[in-house]
Amino acid sequence: MSHCWGMAVDLDRCTGCGACVIACQAENNVPTVGEEAAQKSRTMHWIRIERYYEGEFPNPRVRFRPVLCQQCDNAPCEPVCPTYASYHTSEGLNGQVYNRCIGTRYCANACPYTVRTFNFFNPVWDKPLHLQLNPEVSVRQIGVMEKCTFCIQRIKASEIQAKAENRALREGEPVPACVQSCPPKALVFGDLNDPDSEVSRLARSPRGAKLLSELGTQPKITYLQRDSWDGPNS
Amino acid sequence: MAQTAEQIQRDLLRPVLDPSRRAKPVIAGLALLVLAGFSAWMYQMYTGIGVAGIRRPVFWGFYITNFVFWIGISHAGTLISAILRLSNATWRRPITRCAEVITVFALLIGAMFPLIHLGRPWLAFWLAPYPNQRGLWPNYRSPLLWDFFAINTYLIGSLIFLLLPLIPDCALLRDNVTGWRNKLYSLLSLGWRGTQKQWHRLEAAMHIMAILIIPVAVSVHTIVSWDFAMTPVPMWHSTIFAPYFVAGAIFSGIAALIIAMVFLRSSLHLEEYLRPECFDNLGKLLLVMSLLWFYFLFAERLTTWYGNARPEIAVFWLTQRGPYRHLFWVMVGCNFVLPFPLLAIKKLRTIAGTFLASVAVVIGMWIERYLIIVPSLSHKFLPYAWGTYRPTWVEITITAATFCGMALLYLLFSEVVPVVSIWELKAGLREPVR
């Protein structure tokens, strides 16, 4: 049976610590852009923690929402790419082929979640980060778009390992860097085609909702939260 | 006003045949500014697209604004000239060629911008469908690919549309010059001898092209609008965009034509050919388009406001009351408030009046393109990812250079071939003035 990778994000557990952001940056060779570019909002993070504030003193409240590529089934980024750099893989992921990308940036405009990041310059890593590049992940060139891949290198490695051992993938395998590093276990990753997996169970939870579901993008990430949130575009 | 054929020929060939009249300092100045723009582009190519002001989430800025603007300007020519030719309006005769040239040059300039804006412009040829080692066709579902084909079709079509009526005039020039210029005009005149059969075929070909080019022109700006309308971006995802863009394109195109004609009239002393009636008639056309533009703007704004959808209304108030409000009201002023009285009141619809209105419209339409692109992108769905945009000197230099480039190309063209069609004016002598 083929896989359909999905994720559940438990907002009731998320503390907004940012460990997922750092883990992703390290795992996927995401460049650091420096202070000046960061001020121009040219950061390259594949996952970000959105902070929203609600309520008035004395009862203010902060809401955290980790946002990464939603791996939509009906992705607006895919049809607009003239060179098939953005395409749908057989496992339902939104693939991004860096070598095909010519940098029209159309996909990033079309993405309602604004999760795509663009290499405005050739990537640099502040020392000593350049010594810890992940050999499993290609480094992207200037002028190409990139985004969360659900750690495709880890997915492939697990699949190859399982095949070598002549067995099916086990629950909790593969695990993307963000999920692995989340201290309160707010992020859960797994196969949505397996109805017994934890992520499938959470996706069916009454607490679950999709981000911007009204757009019909059919994301594969479910956000879980107990109380209703009357925040912006909730 | 009774001109003779000899007079027409003498007056209109003068700018081409008399090199002492050339505006060398102007040409040199414009060429320098174009060179500055080219250098800025090379700098961007060498350093990276990051030297432009685009950022997350505003991934399209000045370059795409210019792209839409120049493709819009290109609608001057072909469409106006084709419609006037088909409706057989007498006053078209002196202006058709001025208009057709604008189309070709504006398209060339407009088509450069998608290349300038690419992250990896050296791979732009991957848009073309050809058998390649990647084993991959381009994605025909992408509006950018539709653009690629639409613009190329329009460019080829408008080139033919420009060159066909040039044939008899080039033959005339061929017979009046020697040396390399004789060779050039011989090539352009395609062995024209002025036989009955040739005239007949030319008229037939021009008639076919005039009919064919109208749907092509309409489809081009429709497709440009779909670059935006096909994506789920607030205020982009709108069915009104296609006619709105086409109307805006014709609007800015007529304005550009009037500006070009005013300059031609004074610099080449064509006062007797580009007569006030031409400006009066074009002014009326511009007035109609101004009203149409305002109608589309009103329809777009009202439905958005009344619909009150959350992401859309955020962009709506951003342009209406937010940081883009100044630009918005300048746009309304330039496109409607100022041109409307200038063009509606007969006393004001003079050459100076239509010129003033046209300059305002060109400025206003550039702002319109900017206001369509940037506010929507800066305020998409998730407020945390909202952002701003500010152009850099690179983008501003390249933008300014394209305007100089347009003027330069136009100037050079007017010195190589007569910008007013000689044979068409001569043919006009035989028909009663309507």
Side-chain angles (χ1 to χ4, degrees), chain B residues 219-234:
Chain B
S219 73
V220 167
H221 228 68
T222 299
I223 287 171
V224 168
S225 85
W226 287 344
D227 285 349
F228 307 101
M230 290 294 165
T231 57
V233 173

Side-chain angles (χ1 to χ4, degrees), chain B residues 25-153:
Chain B
V26 180
I27 292 177
L30 287 172
L32 213 63
L33 288 166
V34 171
L35 200 67
F38 192 73
S39 312
W41 184 18
M42 288 301 111
Y43 169 73
Q44 175 186 294
M45 192 100 86
Y46 183 78
T47 321
I49 185 71
V51 298
I54 42 168
R55 60 195 68 179
R56 197 157 73 142
V58 187
F59 285 100
W60 288 354
F62 258 39
Y63 294 147
I64 297 297
T65 305
N66 286 328
F67 163 68
V68 181
F69 172 79
W70 281 111
I71 302 291
I73 294 289
S74 81
H75 279 55
T78 309
L79 208 59
I80 298 168
S81 139
I83 290 168
L84 295 183
R85 275 182 200 283
L86 290 177
S87 60
N88 213 5
T90 323
W91 59 278
R92 74 163 199 275
R93 291 182 183 279
I95 66 168
T96 45
R97 188 168 296 155
C98 309
E100 287 152 15
V101 183
I102 292 185
T103 298
V104 173
F105 291 153
L107 264 183
L108 286 173
I109 291 172
M112 275 169 56
F113 276 103
L115 304 184
I116 295 174
H117 105 120
L118 282 186
R120 303 203 287 174
W122 45 90
L123 297 176
F125 64 94
W126 283 1
L127 283 175
Y130 65 100
N132 54 60
Q133 92 289 352
R134 287 169 291 135
L136 199 65
W137 281 126
N139 181 3
Y140 287 97
R141 295 178 304 164
S142 170
L144 289 188
L145 205 74
W146 310 344
D147 256 352
F148 176 79
F149 286 105
I151 290 170
N152 280 321
T153 308

